[in-house]
Amino acid sequence: MFKLNLKIALRNLWKNKAYTAINIGGLAIALAAFILVILYVTYETSYDKDVPNYDRIYQVGRSLPDFKTEYTPAPLAKLIKDNFPEVEVAGKMTPTWFEFPINTEKGRVYSNKALLMDFKVARMLNIWPDAKSVDEKDPGFQMYVPKLFIKELFSDKKVVFPTMVGLGPKKDAQPVKLFGTIERTDEHSNIKFDIVSLSKDIGLDNKDYGTNNFRTFIQVKDGANIEALQQKIDQLYKTELIKGGMTANDRRIAGRSVIFLDPLKNLHLRPMAGNDTNYKIVVALFGLGTLIIIIACINFTNLTIAQATKRAKEVGVKKVLGAYRFNLTFQFLAEIFMQCLLALILGLILAEMMLPLFNNLFGIPLSIWHGNTALFGQLILILLGVTVISGIYPALVLSGYKPASVLKGNMQTSYKTLWLRNSLLAGQFVIAIIFIAGLLIVNNQLKYMQAEDKGFKPSQVVFIKNIQFYNKPKDFESARNKIMKIPGVNNVTVASDIPDGSKPGTNNYKLESKELSMDFLDVNFDYFETLGIKLKSGRFFSRDFIADTAVSAILNETAVARYGVTNPVGKVIRGCNMDYKIVGVVKDFKAQGFEATVAPTIYAIKNPCNEKKIKIMVNIDQSSMTSALAALKSQWSDINTLDGEDFRYEFLDELYGKLFKKQEQLQSVFFFAAMLTIFIAVLGLFAFSAFTTNNRIKEISIRKILGATDFQMFKMLNTFFIGIVLIANLIAWPLAYVLAKKWLETFAYRIDIPLFPFVIAALFSTVLTVLTVSIQARKAVKTNPADALKYE
């Protein structure tokens, strides 16, 4: 019986080759897209899953009045471990905020992701050296590097550890012992490093609760009450701050919880101290992939139901011969399973072909066949799910025909499914229209971000990488004067931070009676002129005023607004244990992009809380850019006497442009998703209109005999489908509007939702419908009525 059913299934599929190809092809394309989405979602949600006790590791953070931070004081880890038995391990780590070169006889490599880490944290996070034995009681620092980094440092494959390397410039390199390697890549981890220095206590027994430079990690016992633990740590931490001199009614701790515990599994996608852009991209992609599968299943179901009348007599004969409905349902589900299995195989092939493009778009190393055993279990579930979703209703319809009716030629049962077929067709276009409108809205927001005034001009600014400190203006004067002599150079400055989206340091500042947490930047003369930032009131820092190097400060508009001061110029603001005189107010500029509002910020040339001016910025005429960079490169060893071996630079507009990368990725995803859903919807419409037109060919012939024109026939056949598409637009518009509004709310600076994306989506879907249906209608309209009616 199975063999017979298999033959019938294969013959039916071969007999209707066009419909079979459309069914399987559309589903295969959708499955290929969904496989890529599943790979991406699995990758993004499995950061650090190779870490033992992954579910019991938490990062300790602090919630301040104006923001949250993952940075905590050095003694907090020991305080937690000593007082709470439910905590098994506690330790800390800290990144270095500067880069430095490592020198060997064979090579020179710059590190920009160096970490200092307690041995306890290294064990907790599975970052452990390859050495057979490690002295965990060593109070000094043991430096290790990943194996991949070794290849760049040493040409000889057989390196005997420990070995000596030099840190810093070649002329004044500091000899440091390199203890060995670590077998680890950080591409799939929240903890990224190219060098790690391990020690018993990287805080060196620091007991200062006022300085927050460390990230604290804890591992709790199985079954620990995290909420209760969080409250207990919070109370103890506040007690220590009060012991250190902070008042109990201080705004930083009064009437609120300060400490929070952030699970390790949340750090990549939804960190409490950070943005959740990655999470939104994952959710958006998974939603798009699911919608694509749904539209493909709708297409499959619709075409299968449309073909039902051709199988009616087969069902009638089988029922007369004793077949039960259950047997027929199982048979038709088996046929649909065969088609879905073939579609899945084709989908895997297509996914493999598209994978390099997908990896390049998202900058990730996904693979279908290597290190992805979970995927094959997921594919089985996808196959079964698609088979059930696509096949259960058609199977029930096909197996439900009544033998007496269908053998007499009564096919009225098929008309009972007309409402469903129309609804499914409309549903396909609803999804396609949402994608079209969504693509246009995403594109508009991206264009707005690229064209909108950022408040500064990064287009002709070059950021020169450097390891020399220029904390005092006089330290930078020599280098500045030499750079300014190069033709085409307009301005030069040095600062602690550049406007590339990175978050500067924060501290509390008091103006009059109000205290506010503000970002602070340590800058030099010409900082605002170099970046093209506009002055609102007062003046910029000037060499004509000696006090500017010691006690002057400049605020931005947001800071002035938050303090509620009408005219702050000339007033005194206190922070970092010193008083500043406000000499100017600058207009806000979007240093951290468009997703976050401009933070209240203070700029000073002298800043005891910072003193890490290391980032050089040079404003160069566009017409002289090439020659100026060549001159800088040739003169760099003379300009920068400490760090002159390598001239390394980046364009500031390219660095700032990286803030738009996630949105550009989303735009690309929407483009491909829109094209894919439109293609699948048109495929379904093409097949469905062909089936409908063929069923009405006798009616068309009679109408032509009675005098109907070709235009009237085209109008009759198109009107029905255009009506469905217009209804789909009416349903899709409010859905697209709500989704777009929700997405745009993630931006502090955004467009108003325009009308034209919805109009374009409606016009595009209507034109496509007319073209698709007219291609099929033309065949029927041009058919000779005598050929269509000769058997009547």
Side-chain angles (χ1 to χ4, degrees):
M1 192 65 182
F2 173 77
K3 189 175 180 181
L4 176 63
N5 287 334
L6 180 62
K7 283 184 178 180
I8 293 172
L10 293 174
R11 284 173 181 170
N12 272 300
L13 293 175
W14 183 251
K15 183 180 178 182
N16 301 287
K17 292 186 286 290
Y19 290 102
T20 301
I22 290 172
N23 256 358
I24 294 175
L27 191 56
I29 294 169
L31 282 169
F34 194 64
I35 288 167
L36 293 178
V37 168
I38 288 293
L39 285 172
Y40 178 77
V41 170
T42 302
Y43 181 85
E44 289 290 307
T45 54
S46 59
Y47 266 59
D48 287 314
K49 269 199 174 177
D50 60 330
V51 174
N53 305 309
Y54 162 81
D55 292 324
R56 295 193 281 124
I57 296 174
Y58 294 81
Q59 179 175 253
V60 183
R62 296 180 304 125
S63 179
L64 300 175
D66 303 305
F67 64 94
K68 290 183 177 180
T69 178
E70 68 270 32
Y71 286 98
T72 53
L76 184 60
K78 187 175 186 303
L79 182 76
I80 292 171
K81 182 65 180 73
D82 291 346
N83 288 276
F84 305 109
E86 56 264 58
V87 176
E88 292 180 336
V89 187
K92 55 193 172 293
M93 56 168 276
T94 186
T96 57
W97 47 265
F98 57 90
E99 64 174 8
F100 54 86
I102 306 170
N103 303 284
T104 70
E105 295 179 359
K106 303 294 182 181
R108 174 179 170 88
V109 176
Y110 282 87
S111 160
N112 54 22
K113 293 188 294 183
L115 288 180
L116 304 178
M117 185 179 293
D118 290 346
F119 280 115
K120 292 175 181 178
V121 175
R123 276 200 180 277
M124 185 194 308
L125 298 176
N126 201 28
I127 302 171
W128 200 248
D130 296 321
K132 292 182 180 178
S133 62
V134 177
D135 183 7
E136 296 184 51
K137 296 182 179 179
D138 186 356
F141 288 90
Q142 299 179 21
M143 190 169 81
Y144 298 87
V145 296
K147 279 188 175 178
L148 290 174
F149 210 29
I150 286 292
K151 296 176 183 177
E152 299 182 51
L153 284 171
F154 303 97
S155 58
D156 186 359
K157 292 182 180 179
K158 295 182 180 179
V159 184
V160 179
F161 294 105
T163 185
M164 298 302 294
V165 296
L167 290 187
K170 289 180 180 177
K171 298 176 184 177
D172 193 23
Q174 179 182 350
V176 175
K177 187 184 290 186
L178 182 61
F179 280 77
T181 61
I182 291 178
E183 182 63 77
R184 187 175 185 273
T185 58
D186 62 16
E187 63 187 13
H188 204 200
S189 173
N190 294 292
I191 313 300
K192 300 185 180 296
F193 65 90
D194 48 28
I195 296 176
V196 60
S197 288
L198 304 180
S199 176
K200 180 183 177 182
D201 178 13
I202 62 169
L204 302 175
D205 203 28
N206 182 346
K207 292 181 171 58
D208 177 17
Y209 280 91
T211 304
N212 301 280
N213 294 328
F214 297 86
R215 294 174 65 184
T216 302
F217 288 87
I218 63 172
Q219 179 178 309
V220 301
K221 292 180 180 178
D222 197 14
N225 186 329
I226 300 302
E227 288 189 11
L229 177 62
Q230 183 173 286
Q231 292 174 6
K232 289 188 287 185
I233 296 173
D234 183 64
Q235 291 299 320
L236 188 58
Y237 171 67
K238 289 176 180 176
T239 301
E240 292 297 323
L241 290 178
I242 293 169
K243 284 181 184 177
M246 184 179 289
T247 60
N249 60 356
D250 190 290
R251 67 188 289 266
R252 288 169 287 182
I253 62 172
R256 50 194 300 278
S257 295
V258 176
I259 295 295
F260 62 83
L261 300 181
D262 202 0
L264 178 63
K265 61 185 178 183
N266 283 4
L267 294 188
H268 177 61
L269 293 179
R270 304 186 75 179
M272 293 183 184
N275 69 67
D276 58 353
T277 302
N278 285 335
Y279 175 74
K280 290 169 186 170
I281 295 292
V282 169
V283 170
L285 263 181
F286 186 73
L288 294 178
T290 303
L291 287 175
I292 288 169
I293 278 290
I294 290 171
I295 200 173
C297 289
I298 288 172
N299 195 47
F300 194 101
T301 303
N302 220 354
L303 291 178
T304 305
I305 293 172
Q307 294 283 342
T309 54
K310 295 184 178 181
R311 306 287 298 274
K313 289 185 178 179
E314 174 194 337
V315 172
V317 171
K318 284 188 174 181
K319 282 193 171 183
V320 169
L321 294 174
Y324 292 102
R325 187 172 185 180
F326 170 79
N327 304 119
L328 293 169
T329 302
F330 183 78
Q331 175 199 332
F332 291 127
L333 274 176
E335 290 181 20
I336 290 166
F337 176 80
M338 288 167 53
Q339 295 179 66
C340 292
L341 179 60
L342 182 56
L344 182 60
I345 293 168
L346 290 174
L348 276 169
I349 295 169
L350 289 172
E352 181 67 25
M353 293 169 63
M354 293 189 290
L355 197 57
L357 180 65
F358 190 85
N359 283 342
N360 184 58
L361 175 63
F362 286 94
I364 50 179
L366 298 182
S367 172
I368 292 176
W369 310 109
H370 301 292
N372 222 330
T373 53
L375 176 65
F376 298 101
Q378 293 166 342
L379 289 178
I380 292 170
L381 293 176
I382 292 169
L383 176 60
L384 294 175
V386 170
T387 301
V388 172
I389 293 168
S390 303
I392 192 67
Y393 190 80
L396 291 174
V397 169
L398 285 165
S399 63
Y401 284 120
K402 296 178 181 179
S405 298
V406 296
L407 293 176
K408 289 178 183 178
N410 182 3
M411 305 298 178
Q412 287 184 357
T413 314
S414 64
Y415 293 104
K416 294 177 182 178
T417 63
L418 185 62
W419 68 271
L420 178 63
R421 282 182 279 160
N422 295 343
S423 300
L424 292 177
L425 184 62
Q428 282 184 306
F429 275 96
V430 166
I431 296 171
I433 290 160
I434 288 172
F435 280 144
I436 296 168
L439 170 64
L440 294 171
I441 291 167
V442 170
N443 189 52
N444 276 7
Q445 174 65 16
L446 196 56
K447 281 184 178 178
Y448 165 78
M449 292 192 297
Q450 292 167 341
E452 179 69 6
D453 182 19
K454 302 168 184 66
F456 73 107
K457 297 176 181 177
S459 57
Q460 57 190 64
V461 178
V462 174
F463 161 52
I464 302 177
K465 296 183 177 182
N466 158 64
I467 64 172
Q468 183 167 343
F469 288 85
Y470 297 106
N471 289 331
K472 296 178 181 177
K474 65 179 182 180
D475 299 336
F476 189 58
E477 279 305 299
S478 175
R480 176 190 176 276
N481 292 335
K482 291 175 183 177
I483 294 172
M484 287 297 295
K485 289 178 182 178
I486 295 173
V489 172
N490 299 317
N491 282 301
V492 184
T493 192
V494 65
S496 58
D497 295 276
I498 60 173
D500 62 347
S502 55
K503 180 75 174 171
T506 58
N507 197 28
N508 274 19
Y509 289 84
K510 190 171 184 178
L511 176 59
E512 294 183 341
S513 60
K514 188 171 183 179
E515 192 172 16
L516 194 67
S517 179
M518 290 207 295
D519 289 354
F520 60 80
L521 274 85
D522 201 2
V523 302
N524 209 317
F525 294 113
D526 304 317
Y527 174 82
F528 303 103
E529 295 90 335
T530 301
L531 292 173
I533 297 166
K534 296 176 183 177
L535 183 70
K536 185 177 182 182
S537 61
R539 61 176 177 84
F540 290 138
F541 295 124
S542 171
R543 293 175 178 82
D544 297 334
F545 297 89
I546 298 175
D548 282 2
T549 63
V551 294
S552 295
I554 292 175
L555 304 184
N556 69 350
E557 287 177 295
T558 298
V560 174
R562 292 276 185 92
Y563 279 116
V565 180
T566 306
N567 185 16
V569 176
K571 296 187 176 182
V572 174
I573 185 170
R574 181 168 181 79
C576 286
N577 298 318
M578 66 175 289
D579 292 329
Y580 292 96
K581 182 180 179 181
I582 300 170
V583 298
V585 177
V586 293
K587 291 194 172 182
D588 286 342
F589 64 98
K590 302 176 181 69
Q592 273 121 40
F594 284 71
E595 293 184 35
T597 54
V598 174
T601 309
I602 183 170
Y603 305 88
I605 291 178
K606 181 181 179 181
N607 191 338
C609 292
N610 202 358
E611 295 191 342
K612 55 176 184 179
K613 280 187 277 193
I614 200 171
K615 298 183 177 181
I616 299 172
M617 289 175 281
V618 184
N619 187 303
I620 304 173
D621 282 332
Q622 291 288 6
S623 58
S624 306
M625 188 66 72
T626 303
S627 59
L629 288 174
L632 279 167
K633 184 176 181 180
S634 63
Q635 299 175 33
W636 191 242
S637 58
D638 179 52
I639 294 170
N640 190 335
T641 54
L642 178 67
D643 181 33
E645 290 97 345
D646 301 297
F647 178 65
R648 299 164 298 120
Y649 69 91
E650 291 186 71
F651 293 106
L652 187 58
D653 56 350
E654 291 180 3
L655 287 172
Y656 191 80
K658 290 178 181 178
L659 297 178
F660 307 148
K661 184 178 179 181
K662 289 292 181 184
Q663 309 311 327
E664 288 170 349
Q665 288 173 346
L666 190 61
Q667 181 190 39
S668 299
V669 167
F670 254 96
F671 175 78
F672 287 116
M675 294 303 103
L676 188 54
T677 52
I678 292 165
F679 176 72
I680 294 172
V682 168
L683 269 183
L685 178 63
F686 186 84
F688 192 30
S689 62
F691 179 81
T692 303
T693 305
N694 289 337
N695 279 355
R696 300 182 69 179
I697 193 144
K698 291 180 182 178
E699 176 193 345
I700 292 168
S701 298
I702 292 169
R703 287 178 180 269
K704 287 188 69 175
I705 290 169
L706 294 175
T709 63
D710 288 356
F711 177 76
Q712 287 173 325
M713 292 298 96
F714 278 114
K715 181 182 176 182
M716 179 188 74
L717 294 170
N718 273 291
T719 301
F720 169 72
F721 290 102
I722 290 172
I724 288 178
V725 171
L726 290 178
I727 291 170
N729 272 279
L730 292 176
I731 297 170
W733 287 357
L735 292 174
Y737 180 85
V738 170
L739 292 171
K741 189 171 184 294
K742 191 171 180 62
W743 175 70
L744 286 171
E745 284 172 356
T746 62
F747 295 92
Y749 307 98
R750 55 185 179 264
I751 60 169
D752 294 323
I753 299 177
L755 179 62
F756 83 89
F758 303 99
V759 175
I760 289 176
L763 290 173
F764 188 66
S765 58
T766 304
V767 170
L768 268 180
T769 301
V770 171
L771 289 174
T772 305
V773 175
S774 294
I775 290 170
Q776 291 296 336
R778 186 178 181 278
K779 296 177 184 177
V781 170
K782 294 301 179 183
T783 301
N784 190 333
D787 293 334
L789 299 173
K790 65 184 177 181
Y791 295 110
E792 294 299 323

